[in-house]
Amino acid sequence: MGACPTPHREALEHALRALADAVAALGLHVTMAGPLTLVVSGERPAPEDPGDRLAALLEPTEPLSQSVTIESHDGRLWWCWVWADVDRGGHDSEPIRPIEEVEEVARRVRTVVALPSTT
């Protein structure tokens, strides 16, 4: 797996716009984090009971976010999760679906950023 080839710049830009539009339509926020990487985040979590001080301390204060990128995998372009790899001082990635499957990738990203935080 590696960085995708550059001759398909228009196709890559189209794919990035398509995923950005699809996740925005699901109510998520999208920002560009690099030439082929999007960061998707949900809404800021609200405490279930604003009067409960303990719950307010335990509830996450920031929305969850997830990065996705386009990479070449087995000769095809794929959307990939981007995971922080602290041990190697960089990142690791994992294929999600081919770039044509924008709606399915948007649904999967929404599921990830909607998960409750454990912090």
Side-chain angles (χ1 to χ4, degrees):
M1 192 172 346
C4 66
T6 55
H8 307 289
R9 182 180 178 132
E10 288 181 18
L12 296 173
E13 289 173 354
H14 175 74
L16 288 165
R17 279 192 305 273
L19 184 58
D21 291 346
V23 295
L26 296 174
L28 305 173
H29 304 281
V30 182
T31 56
M32 291 293 295
L36 298 175
T37 304
L38 299 174
V39 176
V40 181
S41 59
E43 293 293 330
R44 180 177 300 276
E48 292 181 18
D49 179 4
D52 185 351
R53 289 182 187 210
L54 179 59
L57 290 173
L58 297 176
E59 292 291 326
T61 59
E62 295 296 321
L64 294 177
S65 64
Q66 177 61 53
S67 297
V68 293
T69 191
I70 299 173
E71 292 185 355
S72 178
H73 182 69
D74 292 334
R76 292 186 66 191
L77 294 176
W78 284 67
W79 289 107
C80 298
W81 302 114
V82 178
W83 310 115
D85 188 348
V86 179
D87 294 336
R88 292 194 295 183
H91 77 276
D92 197 8
S93 62
E94 175 185 353
I96 307 170
R97 302 295 308 164
I99 64 166
E100 300 84 13
E101 298 184 28
V102 171
E103 298 300 323
E104 177 60 23
V105 172
R107 283 190 291 277
R108 290 181 185 207
V109 171
R110 178 184 61 186
T111 300
V112 169
V113 299
L115 292 173
S117 175
T118 58
T119 59

